């Protein structure tokens, strides 16, 4: 008992714990870009509740006159679980999707959502890839703004479940530079061992500023010093 004579509050019940899990889904409405994350959260929630099976299996049809008691009990449980899961799936949807899917069971809804969002995501990936491949840096364009634009495309593809290796994303950025950056690209690959997109952006700021004032070879010297200084700072941090 507490000092004022009141009993301590009871521990949280299973229902309140389940409601907390449901709040994870309710934080963000289902849209095309977040479908994969939304479905991942849904499956984790249902797996915790031992109800994930209703997403992958339709409710079986049984003849109540010939079915065994076990089959009737199993069917009733499936219907009960599916009814709860329908509510969990529809609650985080935007109103347009709620109206469309309110008459679906979880299995049918899962199949329809998977097909619809896969097709939309596939087309969106195509558009982003097309925009990314069209990002040829013009000699009059600021390189830092160009890199930021390409990075946004890469980040958008990552949200659409396209996995990019860090080095691959940097190589894609460098591939679209004009010939006046050949010295930079050569020096970058010969002197750098590991670079984040942010570090690459900082190097390019140095190069861009130098190219406006001097010959490219002197810019290369500046870049080498910048890279070596960055490596030295890493070694000091490790030490």
């Amino acid at each position: 008992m507490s000092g004022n004579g009141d009993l301590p509050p009871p521990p949280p019940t299973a229902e309140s714990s389940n409601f907390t899990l449901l709040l994870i889904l309710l934080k963000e409405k289902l849209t095309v870009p977040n479908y994969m994350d939304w479905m991942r959260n849904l499956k984790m929630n249902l797996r915790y509740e031992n109800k994930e099976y209703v997403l992958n299996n339709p409710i079986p049809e049984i003849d109540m006159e010939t079915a065994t008691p076990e089959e009737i009990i199993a069917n009733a449980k499936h219907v009960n679980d599916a009814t709860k899961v329908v509510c969990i799936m529809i609650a985080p949807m935007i109103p347009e999707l709620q109206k469309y899917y309110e008459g679906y069971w979880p299995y049918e809804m899962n199949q329809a959502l998977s097909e619809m969002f896969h097709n939309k995501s596939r087309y969106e990936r195509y558009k982003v890839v097309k925009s990314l491949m069209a990002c040829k840096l013009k000699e009059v364009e600021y390189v830092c703004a160009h890199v930021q634009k390409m990075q946004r495309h890469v980040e958008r593809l990552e949200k659409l479940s396209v996995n990019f290796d860090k080095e691959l994303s940097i190589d894609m950025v460098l591939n679209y530079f004009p010939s006046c950056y050949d010295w930079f690209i050569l020096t970058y690959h010969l002197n750098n061992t590991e670079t984040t997109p942010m570090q690459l952006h900082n190097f390019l700021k140095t190069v861009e500023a130098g190219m406006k004032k001097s010959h490219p070879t002197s810019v290369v010297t500046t870049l080498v010093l910048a890279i070596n200084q960055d490596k030295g700072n890493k070694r000091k941090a490790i030490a």
Side-chain angles (χ1 to χ4, degrees):
M1 296 178 63
S2 60
N4 59 9
D6 295 331
L7 292 174
T13 61
E15 288 76 16
S16 64
S17 298
N18 297 347
F19 183 74
T20 300
L21 288 173
L22 179 57
L23 290 179
I24 297 176
L25 291 173
L26 294 176
K27 284 182 178 179
E28 188 174 3
K29 294 293 184 182
L30 170 63
T31 61
V32 175
N34 72 349
Y35 169 70
M36 298 299 294
D37 293 333
W38 180 87
M39 180 56 69
R40 189 180 304 111
N41 285 333
L42 172 67
K43 289 183 176 181
M44 286 192 295
N45 194 356
L46 298 183
R47 193 171 301 153
Y48 179 85
E49 300 296 331
N50 294 319
K51 292 179 175 57
E52 187 180 6
Y53 74 97
V54 302
L55 286 179
N56 305 316
N57 300 284
I59 299 175
E61 296 183 3
I62 64 172
D63 187 339
M64 299 299 291
E65 295 182 357
T66 59
T68 64
E70 291 78 11
E71 290 174 333
I72 294 175
I73 292 174
N75 183 262
K77 181 181 184 303
H78 196 142
V79 171
N80 184 57
D81 288 345
T83 302
K84 293 178 180 178
V85 172
V86 163
C87 298
I88 293 175
M89 294 178 71
I90 290 182
M93 291 182 177
I94 58 177
E96 293 79 6
L97 292 176
Q98 288 179 336
K99 295 176 182 178
Y100 185 83
Y101 287 111
E102 62 182 353
Y104 280 62
W105 286 110
Y107 173 78
E108 290 77 16
M109 193 189 309
N110 184 36
Q111 298 298 310
L113 284 171
S114 177
E115 181 177 353
M116 180 181 70
F117 282 102
H118 173 76
N119 292 339
K120 288 187 176 181
S121 296
R122 179 69 183 86
Y123 180 62
E124 187 173 356
R125 285 199 301 269
Y126 163 76
K127 291 193 297 182
V128 177
V129 169
K130 184 178 180 180
S131 299
L132 181 62
M133 295 180 68
C135 285
K136 183 71 175 179
L137 176 64
K138 302 174 183 178
E139 295 198 15
V140 295
E141 185 179 2
Y142 285 105
V143 66
C144 293
H146 173 77
V147 172
Q148 290 175 341
K149 179 173 64 176
M150 292 197 70
Q151 189 61 32
R152 285 195 295 269
H153 289 319
V154 171
E155 291 171 355
R156 186 75 196 94
L157 289 172
E158 289 176 341
K159 290 183 178 180
L160 291 168
S161 299
V162 178
N163 295 323
F164 271 92
D165 178 276
K166 180 179 63 177
E167 292 183 352
L168 175 60
S169 63
I170 290 177
D171 288 343
M172 291 180 66
V173 172
L174 296 177
N175 182 60
Y176 291 97
F177 281 14
S179 58
C180 62
Y181 282 88
D182 286 349
W183 274 104
F184 166 80
I185 296 173
L186 176 62
T187 306
Y188 172 83
H189 284 297
L190 290 178
N191 291 275
N192 183 54
T193 55
E194 183 177 356
T195 299
T196 65
M198 181 58 68
Q199 289 172 320
L200 174 65
H201 183 267
N202 292 335
F203 291 153
L204 286 168
K205 287 172 63 177
T206 302
V207 172
E208 185 175 53
M211 290 183 71
K212 296 176 182 179
K213 301 176 182 178
S214 56
H215 192 272
T217 53
S218 63
V219 178
V220 170
T221 303
T222 303
L223 175 63
V224 171
L225 293 175
I227 292 175
N228 289 334
Q229 181 180 5
D230 185 69
K231 290 181 180 179
N233 291 336
K234 288 183 179 178
R235 285 194 293 270
K236 290 179 182 179
I238 294 175

